[in-house]
Amino acid sequence: MNMKTPIYMDHNATTAVYPEVKEVIKHALDLTGNASSVHTSGRAARKLIEDSRDSVAKMVNANSKDVVFTSGGTEANNMAIRSFAKSSAKIRILASAVEHSSILKASPNIEIVPVNSKGIIDLEALDIMLTESPWESGFGSTLVSVMLANNETGVIQPIPDVVSIAGRHGALVHCDAVQAAGKIPFDLKALGVNLLSLSAHKIGGTAGVGALIINDDLKKDVKLLPLLFGGGQERGKRAGTENLSGIAGFGHAVEYTLKNLPKYKKISILRDRIEKELSSHSNVRVFGSGVSRLPNTSNLTMPGVSADRQIIAFDLAGFSLSAGSACSSGKVGPSHVLAAMGVANDEASTAIRISLGFPITSKNVEMFIKVWRDIFKRSNASTKDLEAA
Ligand code: PLP
């Protein structure tokens, strides 16, 4: 077993907490005060939360009052779908086939919009599905949920086009920006979406904190109902004493994230180097190649070698990475994203996801390429031995 610190290439699963964020979290933990209390200690806690709200709003060009802190991206996504589902008896929810399971499993009645072989939403199909509304035109209670960037492939969706089609049909748009945040610049108002989800642990904060941004322009006739009831926290939209340290860390992580955005230029060069080297092997396929993708993500096959086997072999060689999406159970299951892109199960089961982050060097990348080649050679040789036996 390689006891050295692994070379971490799984930044879409979670990424390191910034050292400065740890300091802010420690400071918040030392502060005894409930942000709902009116005394000095309570007001100090309130200030940390409101400063973070301002920072998160600034990152995506939203209004601070529209930011609702949640327990993470999953809750933000669930809240968008379920609160909308509860808003009226006549609602429709459409989501792309490649959405995160926290969207797809948030309601049993989601209508799936297909994607093409590159993983991009089929805009024509979306238009047709919205045209075929079961209600008279102008009925406003339809929500379309499309992510900004996919966690497994990094493929970036044409959100402004989705917004324009949805707008023609009077539908609202939710965007899961959990993976895009911190990796590509974007702007809520320029995107034109009504709801947007974020998660802190993908940008250098801690897991268990996120936000749903409810854009001011959300039509007044749609009233999102909270999922959690009790206190009046988060302007009555999400009850429960706030996670002060997590939220303080989130706000600080945002500041570093914005400063670090230019570093993704170098990361994309390293990612491209991996893809160029490995796709010179016959039949290696990079999913989503040729379309806009996150600069750090690559989802590629190693022909004839299962993802399970690759992950163990890479782990033994000192590399941490995932198969497709990092499942909560730790088990590698078939990827609904690759299936939606029309990839056969046999091929999808040989795909791994490489997601790079700031600490990665070109030396790490050269080593990774070498290890990949070794695993490929070894595995194919042992398969041939088995076949010959
Ligand atoms: N949405 C996407 C695209 C994700 O990749 C993830 C996490 O991997 C989530 C939502 C859920 O976020 P969280 O882990 O904060 O619950």
Side-chain angles (χ1 to χ4, degrees), residues 12-13 71-75 77 100 102 147 149-151 176 178-179 198-202 207-210 326 353:
N12 286 10
S71 67
T74 298
E75 187 190 325
N77 281 347
H100 190 261
S102 55
M147 67 206 325
N150 186 268
N151 43 309
D176 173 354
V178 164
Q179 287 294 344
L198 296 169
S199 172
H201 75 108
K202 310 288 186 183
V209 198
R353 177 186 70 184

Side-chain angles (χ1 to χ4, degrees), residues 35-53:
S36 299
S37 303
V38 292
H39 48 58
T40 305
S41 307
R43 288 202 310 276
R46 168 63 49 209
K47 177 157 175 17
L48 279 187
I49 290 177
E50 295 316 317
D51 286 351
S52 287
R53 202 184 305 282

